[in-house]
Amino acid sequence: IRLDETPTTKKVSKDGNIYMDNGLTYEQYVGKICDLFEVDKSFVLAIARLESGNESSYLFTNKNNIGGHRGLGGTWKSYTTLEAGIISHVLTVKSIATSSGVDIKEVTNEEISIISGKYVNGSVSKPSSSWTGKVTNLKEKIESKDLFIIKK
């Protein structure tokens, strides 16, 4: 992924899924990147679903920012491709979890609360019960659907 790539703002959708250029669905690509970096897939996708309004927000559709990430000075981050946005989101979640002392391979509800403080408020000592509840609920729904099977 290069910085000089033309930004992708239109996602190809068939059968209600977002498909990547490599033929994988958005969820499958998130799963592959999570596997690569040993991160809890359903947790990462739950955050993305919450922060992007189920992949419908302006940041998701026009800036490839799937996690509601801000840069220096508080401005919204923009990524040249959806793949770049996914990779950044996975690495950001992993970094926040690691710095919060959480094992990111399988995140528990208690650990979601710990991470919420840093993700939402910038401090582990300020957890967000609202965000924690929403992410936990989405994570459970995702886990009940098996969104990460890659068909060959």
Side-chain angles (χ1 to χ4, degrees), residues 105-136:
K105 290 179 188 175
E106 276 190 54
V107 180
T108 66
N109 293 351
E110 183 180 321
E111 291 169 327
I112 292 173
S113 179
I114 293 168
I115 292 169
S116 77
K118 192 114 180 193
Y119 197 95
V120 177
N121 299 313
S123 172
V124 176
S125 65
K126 298 178 183 176
S128 169
S129 60
S130 172
W131 188 89
T132 297
K134 290 173 186 174
V135 169
T136 300

Side-chain angles (χ1 to χ4, degrees), residues 47-48 51-52 57 59 65-70 76-77 89 119:
I47 294 171
E51 297 295 338
S52 72
S57 72
L59 288 177
N65 181 338
I66 73 166
H69 301 170
R70 292 181 185 258
W76 297 110
K77 287 188 175 183
H89 178 60
Y119 197 95

Side-chain angles (χ1 to χ4, degrees), residues 12-29:
V12 177
S13 182
K14 18 181 184 169
D15 303 329
N17 289 312
I18 298 169
Y19 282 86
M20 312 297 287
D21 288 339
N22 60 17
L24 298 177
T25 66
Y26 162 74
E27 290 88 357
Q28 290 168 335
Y29 190 77

